[in-house]
Amino acid sequence: MTQPLPLYQVDAFATRAFEGNQACIMPLDAFLPDDVMLAIAAENNVAETAYIVRTGEESWNLRWFTPAVEVPLCGHATLAAAHVLFTHEGFAGETIAFDTVKSGRLTVRKLEDGRLEMDFPSGPITEIPVSDDVAEALGARPVQAWGGMFYAAMFETPEAVRALKPNLKALASLGVPGEGWDRGNFGCFAPGGESVDVTSRFFAPGSGIDEDPATGSWHTMLARVMSERFGKQVLSCFQAYPGRGGRIDTHLQGDRVKLSGHSVTTVEGRFFLPM
């Protein structure tokens, strides 16, 4: 016997299919056991599978799983979850509230131009030295680096970022000094780009993802780095994943950051869970 569960696949931070970052969204009556949710995420085999459970008229509990681990924050799957609720699940309110285990309450509202705007925390950052091990694993030496939620590495030009071919196996064991989920998670960026303020890529072998196409959580840190380094509070950003990529707009406000973008549904169906 099988239990059918609703499933949507969404391209987040995208204006059409085949752009942005893929997420699977599964509205549930209650969370499944952790090992089952992880197994489903591995079966879905996209960057994140998000599970949402309604708790009120405008609120849901939200959890995110890569094919390998549960993560404490995921931007693109949050955007995709809100897109599903607004577009497919009949939510007619103005703002959706998601309660999470490690990132507190996250809200998403619909803007007049059709984008969805997320309100996320943006944690502190610290400038750190670039080690020879990191430079060797990335295949190029950053000009400056910061530690925070992830390892942020700045390069001189967008072309240098696009040309990176890191040693992912080596990168997986490296990160910001100390412990945390930041190990094996590297955001690489440069100011400028084609009609944008900053161009970046995000390598996450430490989270089971070689390279992520469009990463909201990374942009919560990138927004703070760009503010402290260049004095820019509002950014148009492009994550230059080869063949896809995604546009993410950010507005840093104190210890919070607004992240906005479009999403597109590509699949609607059922996941048949063995009973």
Side-chain angles (χ1 to χ4, degrees), residues 54 57-58 85-86 90-96 108-110:
R54 191 163 197 161
E57 288 190 6
E58 299 185 345
L85 292 174
F86 277 118
F91 180 73
E94 294 183 358
T95 302
I96 295 169
V108 186
R109 69 186 184 99
K110 184 180 289 187

Side-chain angles (χ1 to χ4, degrees), residues 10-35:
V10 175
D11 286 345
F13 297 116
T15 56
R16 62 180 180 86
F18 313 123
E19 292 179 347
N21 201 354
Q22 298 162 303
C24 286
I25 308 302
M26 299 185 68
L28 303 173
D29 294 330
F31 288 124
L32 302 166
D34 288 7
D35 61 335

Side-chain angles (χ1 to χ4, degrees), residues 151 172 183 192 197:
Y151 190 112
R183 303 196 75 75
D197 298 304

Side-chain angles (χ1 to χ4, degrees), residues 121-151:
S122 178
I125 59 171
T126 304
E127 187 174 355
I128 57 176
V130 178
S131 70
D132 291 341
D133 287 345
V134 166
E136 183 177 352
L138 287 173
R141 180 171 286 275
V143 297
Q144 202 168 352
W146 292 263
M149 176 179 287
F150 307 114
Y151 190 112

Side-chain angles (χ1 to χ4, degrees), residues 23-263:
C24 286
I25 308 302
M26 299 185 68
L28 303 173
D29 294 330
F31 288 124
L32 302 166
D34 288 7
D35 61 335
V36 175
M37 291 193 289
L38 184 58
I40 291 173
E43 182 75 12
N44 290 338
N45 198 31
V46 298
E48 256 88 11
T49 294
Y51 301 93
I52 53 176
V53 174
R54 191 163 197 161
T55 57
E57 288 190 6
E58 299 185 345
S59 62
W60 281 259
N61 286 335
L62 169 64
R63 294 173 69 182
W64 313 273
F65 289 76
T66 77
V69 296
E70 182 175 7
V71 296
L73 181 65
C74 178
H76 86 276
T78 303
L79 190 74
H83 167 79
V84 165
L85 292 174
F86 277 118
T87 306
H88 302 288
E89 293 289 312
F91 180 73
E94 294 183 358
T95 302
I96 295 169
F98 290 117
D99 292 307
T100 70
V101 176
K102 293 188 177 180
S103 296
R105 172 160 283 200
L106 310 174
T107 60
V108 186
R109 69 186 184 99
K110 184 180 289 187
L111 302 179
E112 290 184 0
D113 62 7
R115 290 178 302 158
L116 299 182
E117 181 187 77
M118 303 183 292
D119 184 311
F120 272 29
S122 178
I125 59 171
T126 304
E127 187 174 355
I128 57 176
V130 178
S131 70
D132 291 341
D133 287 345
V134 166
E136 183 177 352
L138 287 173
R141 180 171 286 275
V143 297
Q144 202 168 352
W146 292 263
M149 176 179 287
F150 307 114
Y151 190 112
M154 186 175 78
F155 292 83
E156 290 186 351
T157 66
E159 291 73 25
V161 172
R162 290 177 181 273
L164 289 172
K165 296 181 179 178
N167 179 334
L168 295 168
K169 184 176 181 181
L171 209 60
S173 63
L174 300 173
V176 180
E179 298 297 325
W181 82 302
D182 46 83
R183 303 196 75 75
N185 292 271
F186 282 75
C188 300
F189 74 98
E194 233 178 278
S195 302
V196 294
D197 298 304
V198 58
T199 300
S200 76
R201 294 170 69 186
F202 191 76
F203 304 100
S207 296
I209 304 164
D210 288 349
E211 182 173 0
D212 205 32
T215 315
S217 55
W218 153 237
H219 281 76
T220 68
M221 182 178 180
L222 180 59
R224 185 158 300 282
V225 171
M226 290 293 291
S227 172
E228 294 191 11
R229 179 66 173 78
F230 298 102
K232 292 188 175 183
Q233 306 295 314
V234 179
L235 300 169
S236 59
C237 310
F238 183 70
Q239 192 163 327
Y241 182 88
R244 293 185 71 95
R247 172 72 177 263
I248 303 172
D249 297 318
T250 72
H251 184 185
L252 186 67
Q253 298 176 315
D255 62 356
R256 308 289 296 184
V257 61
K258 308 287 189 183
L259 305 173
S260 58
H262 293 278
S263 295

